[in-house]
Amino acid sequence: MLRAILVFTALLLASLSSVAGPTNTVLRTTAELRALGEAEMRNGRPVELKGQIVARLFHGGLILRDSVGGFLLEDVSEPRPALGDVVSVRGRTFIDEDNRQESVRSNEVTVLEHCTPPRPRLTDAARISAGMDNFDLIRLHGFVSDIFNDENH
């Protein structure tokens, strides 16, 4: 009887840990990435995204846009996708401690389709100040005087 209780307890704990283990849940949209807190972002959560490359950055990073928004990809292996390519990405969440930049680090990027570069999305100052258009290719009517809210930029 004691052995049966121990086996049952072990099975119950194993099933609860697999259900309660959100750090192993694969993130599949930029909305899920943006909803993470800083601590979760640091934990190297697994990520699998599909989207279009909307920008190639000077430091080697890429901006990927899915149906929800954009996000920064870093450490992408060569050959890097071209602007406009639709890609599949596997990686892990990361925060650069020097500039507190959130990103997905990935060397598993597969080009699914070559497409023309995307058009920027029209946005407004309220969306920008709320961070809703971070890491996205946007277009804005008007004048932008400052887009950074810290002393590092």
Side-chain angles (χ1 to χ4, degrees):
M1 178 71 170
L2 180 57
R3 182 179 171 111
I5 291 173
L6 290 175
V7 169
F8 174 77
T9 303
L11 289 172
L12 179 63
L13 289 175
S15 67
L16 287 177
S17 67
S18 68
V19 170
T23 57
N24 292 327
T25 303
V26 176
L27 304 168
R28 299 188 189 279
T29 67
T30 58
E32 292 173 338
L33 285 165
R34 291 179 181 188
L36 291 181
E38 189 173 315
E40 284 184 283
M41 196 66 156
R42 274 193 173 74
N43 283 338
R45 297 276 304 269
V47 176
E48 292 180 10
L49 297 172
K50 287 185 181 160
Q52 188 173 31
I53 301 301
V54 298
R56 292 175 56 127
L57 306 177
F58 67 92
H59 73 291
L62 301 169
I63 303 294
L64 175 135
R65 179 200 287 168
D66 66 6
S67 62
V68 180
F71 213 81
L72 175 63
L73 304 178
E74 294 188 297
D75 292 343
V76 176
S77 62
E78 296 292 336
R80 292 184 5 178
L83 184 63
D85 282 354
V86 175
V87 298
S88 172
V89 175
R90 293 185 67 176
R92 295 207 167 261
T93 60
F94 178 78
I95 293 184
D96 183 329
E97 295 300 330
D98 292 335
N99 61 15
R100 301 180 57 81
Q101 182 64 62
E102 298 175 345
S103 67
V104 171
R105 290 220 161 160
S106 173
N107 59 7
E108 294 182 50
V109 177
T110 304
V111 175
L112 303 174
E113 183 179 358
H114 296 290
C115 296
T116 58
R119 301 191 73 171
R121 292 182 183 175
L122 182 60
T123 192
D124 58 39
R127 286 182 55 87
I128 292 172
S129 63
M132 296 171 71
D133 291 317
N134 289 354
F135 303 115
D136 206 349
L137 185 62
I138 60 170
R139 144 176 91 101
L140 177 69
H141 293 290
F143 177 74
V144 177
S145 62
D146 184 13
I147 60 170
F148 297 103
N149 61 1
D150 65 20
E151 65 279 355
N152 295 324
H153 295 91

